[in-house]
Amino acid sequence: MPFLFGSGSAPAQERALTDSEIVASLRALRSEMLDLLSQVAGKGAAMTRPSRRTMDYESYRRTFESYSAKIDDCYRRLAAYYSQIDRVYRTGSSTPLYKQMVQTYLDTKGVFDNLKSTFSTLEPPEKVVTEAVVSNDQRLNERIATSVRTAAVPTAPPQAAKEIVDADDSRFIGTFDAVEMFLLVRGDSACYVLFGWKDVVEDENGKSLEEYHLAVARSESFPMTPEIRTLTPEQHLEHALKLKIAMVEAQGEMMTDLKQFFARTKSYARTN
């Protein structure tokens, strides 16, 4: 019998299955894998493709590991059924169901290959997409603080907060003093989003205190070119300092959504 499954020895089956049991088992496995494929691909009714963009880290990790374990189990079972078919071939391939076994196996193996390929497009939970920096550079913080104090910074359009959450792509650049910088992409355009800033004030005894503000600012848009993707965090900072900024109004539930969005984006990065 031609080897159909791949290298490596197939796991031993506890007992020899009848010809009809082999066919029925393969069909059941194929149906099971099609259901799993729909989940991994995000197809079908009320299905959503697993994504680190839309899930918190722990939920995504559990989902990813669950799918991985199920696919490994499918591999082991498929290999075991191959071993059964190989046994039938070696003991007498003239059985009426032999061709049906082989065709059912090939159909099931095709679904498995599709499932494995689709799963491979999901990013591993621990994957580091970008290196984030922590910098003591105060220029960005000082610009925001000065703008807020003097009311020199305009207000972004009302839909700005939602546009941030609905961005096509997002990347955490780093933390500059107290300001977290993100690069957001929408279509062919990009902008920087700045989250948080600190103000230094004096208390009643003249002692300097740092007050942290969870405010959101957005830069003006600029073309998203291949060169932008290659900038270092320091170069992103220099670029951002040249752009106009506007404060994004977000309170209550919308601010919660923004904070969760920033936290998910930061899960892609490792702080040095």
Side-chain angles (χ1 to χ4, degrees):
M1 177 183 177
F3 198 72
L4 302 175
F5 196 78
S7 60
S9 59
Q13 189 77 27
E14 291 185 0
R15 69 176 180 86
L17 300 178
T18 65
D19 297 353
S20 59
E21 284 178 329
I22 294 174
V23 174
S25 297
L26 282 168
R27 286 174 176 171
L29 178 58
R30 182 177 183 275
S31 178
E32 182 180 331
M33 289 193 297
L34 284 172
D35 289 340
L36 185 57
L37 176 60
S38 295
Q39 296 175 42
V40 175
K43 296 180 179 179
M47 288 293 185
T48 302
R49 177 177 170 81
S51 171
R52 287 182 58 180
R53 300 289 183 197
T54 59
M55 302 170 68
D56 64 80
Y57 177 81
E58 283 303 317
S59 294
Y60 184 81
R61 180 187 61 78
R62 289 192 296 269
T63 299
F64 185 94
E65 291 178 354
S66 175
Y67 287 159
S68 180
K70 290 178 180 178
I71 292 172
D72 286 345
D73 180 61
C74 288
Y75 177 89
R76 288 190 293 270
R77 290 155 64 191
L78 186 59
Y81 296 140
Y82 172 85
S83 179
Q84 291 278 342
I85 298 173
D86 186 57
R87 173 187 57 78
V88 173
Y89 173 79
R90 294 181 187 282
T91 57
S93 58
S94 60
T95 170
L97 289 179
Y98 179 73
K99 290 184 178 180
Q100 187 176 3
M101 282 186 233
V102 172
Q103 188 58 54
T104 306
Y105 171 85
L106 291 174
D107 292 343
T108 306
K109 177 65 163 53
V111 174
F112 175 82
D113 291 341
N114 191 6
L115 172 61
K116 186 176 180 181
S117 176
T118 301
F119 179 72
S120 71
T121 63
L122 297 182
E123 290 181 312
E126 71 280 2
K127 180 179 179 182
V128 176
V129 175
T130 181
E131 293 282 346
V133 301
V134 176
S135 171
N136 293 325
D137 195 307
Q138 301 178 0
R139 289 177 294 166
L140 207 53
N141 188 87
E142 290 176 352
R143 181 183 178 190
I144 296 176
T146 300
S147 298
V148 171
R149 290 194 209 100
T150 61
V153 59
T155 300
Q159 72 273 17
K162 188 175 186 306
E163 289 178 349
I164 292 173
V165 175
D166 293 339
D168 298 333
D169 192 17
S170 58
R171 173 185 167 189
F172 180 46
I173 302 301
T175 302
F176 300 90
D177 197 14
V179 182
E180 294 181 347
M181 178 191 292
F182 301 85
L183 174 68
L184 267 63
V185 180
R186 287 177 63 87
D188 296 330
S189 298
C191 71
Y192 294 111
V193 173
L194 315 172
F195 179 52
W197 60 281
K198 72 180 180 184
D199 200 8
V200 180
V201 298
E202 291 186 355
D203 63 13
E204 57 185 12
N205 298 319
K207 183 179 179 180
S208 295
L209 299 175
E210 292 182 343
E211 292 184 348
Y212 289 84
H213 304 268
L214 298 182
V216 181
R218 189 193 71 181
S219 79
E220 61 182 306
S221 298
F222 50 88
M224 185 58 194
T225 63
E227 289 74 22
I228 291 295
R229 296 187 183 278
T230 64
L231 295 181
T232 65
E234 291 74 17
Q235 290 171 327
H236 278 295
L237 173 62
E238 297 300 333
H239 187 204
L241 289 169
K242 299 174 183 177
L243 301 172
K244 298 177 182 178
I245 60 172
M247 298 305 295
V248 176
E249 292 186 345
Q251 297 180 354
E253 185 176 346
M254 181 50 71
M255 177 56 81
T256 298
D257 290 344
L258 282 171
K259 289 192 289 186
Q260 291 177 347
F261 174 78
F262 294 144
R264 287 195 299 269
T265 303
K266 288 172 67 177
S267 77
Y268 278 74
R270 180 174 65 236
T271 302
N272 291 335

